[in-house]
Amino acid sequence: PAASLLYPYGPEQHDQKNPKLDDGSSKKISLAVPFTFYGKEYRNLYVNNNGVISFDTRVNQYTPDPFPLADGRTFVAPYWGDVDNVRGGDVFYRETTDPTLLARVTKDINQYFPKIPYTATWAFVATWDHVAYYGSTTNKGNTFQAVLTTNTKTSFIILNYWDIQWTTGAASDGDPETGLGGTPAHAGFNSGDETHFYNIPGSQTDAIINITKTSNVNVPGRWVFQVDDFKVTGVPTEVPKVANSNNCWL
């Protein structure tokens, strides 16, 4: 059951794959249907290697900044950190209207948001598969996923964290051997208007390593948000704890 946290991805799903390029991104992706995010419709996006899906403009920045950003960039950060897919891992994406996938997405969202009538008619799936960090001297990799979905009026984003083994690249003052320390990865949403944003608890702290154990929908490793008119629901009040080297909770 645990493996079903991730929606299907990879070559067998006819996914596109990002170039092997440090701080690189996908080509400009023109969406078949507009996606509404914080009240604005977007028709283009980029899947950036450094754990960001951005609207209208690429993001090659590797050390995350806290939200809200002052420069007007609009994006979703499943796990904004210094990914190096040259060193290891792949970044996949696809736009889809596959009925099997849409039925699964619909079922999940209906379960988490029973008061919102919703049937998915479109989805965009981006998956970072066992991606390495810049400067790594190990084979540590992170696997996480972002799913954008809409019925043309209501939009949701599902963030899935399957395996998180590192938080920081060496150029962000992380340790090359552990992938920890320095300026850790950031997870959240930035509207681009300097006012509206959301930071997932633990962002840019050592605790982000435990995002596979946190959730706002009672499914460890999954965060789901309505984003057409952004709403935060069911957020835990406690920031996740950090385990020390003896695996004791601090």
Side-chain angles (χ1 to χ4, degrees):
S4 66
L5 182 74
L6 293 176
Y7 298 101
Y9 69 93
E12 61 279 5
Q13 301 297 323
H14 307 292
D15 279 4
Q16 302 289 312
K17 189 160 73 170
N18 273 12
K20 296 278 190 182
L21 179 65
D22 185 38
D23 303 329
S25 69
S26 69
K27 64 184 188 213
K28 181 179 179 180
I29 301 162
S30 298
L31 304 178
V33 300
F35 185 77
T36 306
F37 183 63
Y38 279 104
K40 186 176 175 187
E41 282 191 356
Y42 293 93
R43 295 177 180 271
N44 302 294
L45 57 74
Y46 295 89
V47 177
N48 303 278
N49 288 351
N50 288 337
V52 172
I53 295 177
S54 54
F55 298 100
D56 293 339
T57 184
R58 283 187 175 89
V59 174
N60 54 16
Q61 182 179 335
Y62 54 83
T63 302
D65 284 325
F67 295 160
L69 300 176
D71 60 11
R73 285 178 295 175
T74 305
F75 61 68
V76 181
Y79 200 81
W80 185 14
D82 198 357
V83 170
D84 187 354
N85 67 342
V86 178
R87 194 164 288 272
D90 285 302
V91 182
F92 295 106
Y93 65 88
R94 76 183 179 280
E95 190 177 17
T96 181
T97 53
D98 173 62
T100 306
L101 180 80
L102 293 180
R104 184 170 157 189
V105 168
T106 298
K107 181 183 174 189
D108 287 342
I109 287 173
N110 290 164
Q111 179 185 336
Y112 310 140
F113 300 88
K115 294 179 180 172
I116 301 174
Y118 185 77
T119 303
T121 57
W122 172 93
F124 185 89
V125 182
T127 310
W128 287 257
D129 181 44
H130 200 73
V131 289
Y133 57 94
Y134 181 80
S136 170
T137 60
T138 71
N139 62 358
K140 283 187 171 187
N142 286 348
T143 300
F144 56 95
Q145 184 178 69
V147 179
L148 284 59
T149 179
T150 186
N151 63 1
T152 70
K153 290 189 171 57
T154 309
S155 306
F156 289 91
I157 292 178
I158 302 168
L159 303 179
N160 294 322
Y161 300 95
W162 175 240
D163 188 20
I164 300 296
Q165 301 180 358
W166 62 265
T167 64
T168 321
S172 307
D173 298 323
D175 184 314
E177 290 185 15
T178 64
L180 306 174
T183 305
H186 191 101
F189 299 82
N190 194 66
S191 72
D193 66 6
E194 298 184 39
T195 305
H196 299 96
F197 62 95
Y198 180 69
N199 299 316
I200 288 180
S203 287
Q204 286 190 311
T205 76
D206 294 339
I208 198 70
I209 194 86
N210 292 315
I211 198 167
T212 56
K213 301 182 180 80
T214 64
S215 176
N216 65 337
V217 291
N218 293 317
V219 179
R222 176 171 283 175
W223 290 75
V224 188
F225 300 89
Q226 183 182 348
V227 298
D228 50 288
D229 177 20
F230 192 91
K231 294 179 175 67
V232 178
T233 52
V235 177
T237 51
E238 284 185 45
V239 168
K241 305 260 191 312
V242 183
N244 68 15
S245 57
N246 298 319
N247 232 16
C248 300
W249 296 100
L250 301 176

